[in-house]
Amino acid sequence: MQLSILLSNIGLIIVPRRKGSGQLMVPTNQRLLPLYISSILKSKAFRLQNVSVDDRYFSMLQFKTLPIEDIMLMIYPRLFPLHNLAETWTDKNSVPPRLSLTAEKLTRQGAFLLQTHEHFIIWIGRHVSEIFVNSVYNTRTYNDLPELRSGWISHGNAISDFNS
């Protein structure tokens, strides 16, 4: 069923090929539609296995009642690089630069923030710079980091105070 939904929606957005061209013509505003449909079908609302009825119902209600910005975060979270934030984000009144949500973007030398509609997850690579770890977490190395920590703690330096 899920595959048939995905294929029927992909068929809607693909315009026949131009003569002499080997490329499919897809309208710009619909290029990410297959990605979004695939993400929706993997959500708790439409997943067929390992989801309780209550979780499925709650997820369906979220799709019906949440603002569109939160629904977009539900189906396609945002990924921000943190390890180079001081160099790449100079205007604190704007949103920091965003990365596409792919495994290739997560490097062992980096630290990243994943924003979903209900969680913020910080992923820290094993080989992130000691300067970043010291500035943000006030520890010397990656191995000294606590396993779980919630909240943002200021350590009185430019990098850890950048969010305020």
Side-chain angles (χ1 to χ4, degrees):
M1 179 179 116
Q2 291 181 347
L3 183 60
S4 65
I5 293 172
L6 184 61
L7 291 176
S8 66
N9 284 301
I10 290 173
L12 290 175
I13 66 167
I14 296 176
V15 178
R17 295 180 185 201
R18 284 186 185 173
K19 291 184 179 179
S21 169
Q23 296 181 347
L24 293 175
M25 298 297 296
V26 179
T28 306
N29 60 352
Q30 294 181 354
R31 288 187 180 157
L32 294 177
L33 185 62
L35 172 71
Y36 294 149
I37 291 171
S38 176
S39 296
I40 289 171
L41 292 176
K42 292 177 185 178
S43 72
K44 288 182 181 179
F46 297 98
R47 197 178 321 149
L48 299 177
Q49 299 170 346
N50 302 328
V51 178
S52 71
V53 173
D54 292 338
D55 288 341
R56 179 174 289 122
Y57 182 73
F58 177 71
S59 183
M60 286 182 181
L61 283 179
Q62 284 182 316
F63 274 113
K64 290 173 75 173
T65 59
L66 285 176
I68 192 68
E69 295 85 15
D70 289 344
I71 293 173
M72 290 303 296
L73 285 174
M74 237 171 103
I75 62 175
Y76 193 73
R78 294 179 184 150
L79 182 66
F80 300 100
L82 297 178
H83 57 282
N84 60 358
L85 200 56
E87 297 90 34
T88 60
W89 187 40
T90 55
D91 183 12
K92 291 184 183 180
N93 295 324
S94 66
V95 177
R98 220 172 123 175
L99 297 175
S100 57
L101 193 59
T102 61
E104 292 85 25
K105 301 294 182 185
L106 298 175
T107 63
R108 292 184 179 185
Q109 295 80 16
F112 302 89
L113 173 70
L114 182 70
Q115 178 192 4
T116 69
H117 79 289
E118 49 187 19
H119 300 291
F120 285 92
I121 301 167
I122 296 178
W123 185 88
I124 300 174
R126 183 170 300 279
H127 302 294
V128 70
S129 77
E130 291 181 7
I131 295 170
F132 176 83
V133 173
N134 189 356
S135 299
V136 175
Y137 291 102
N138 204 25
T139 59
R140 292 182 331 164
T141 64
Y142 171 86
N143 294 329
D144 296 334
L145 288 173
E147 191 168 319
L148 293 173
R149 178 183 268 178
S150 62
W152 189 273
I153 298 172
S154 173
H155 298 294
N157 59 54
I159 295 176
S160 72
D161 293 341
F162 199 71
N163 68 333
S164 52

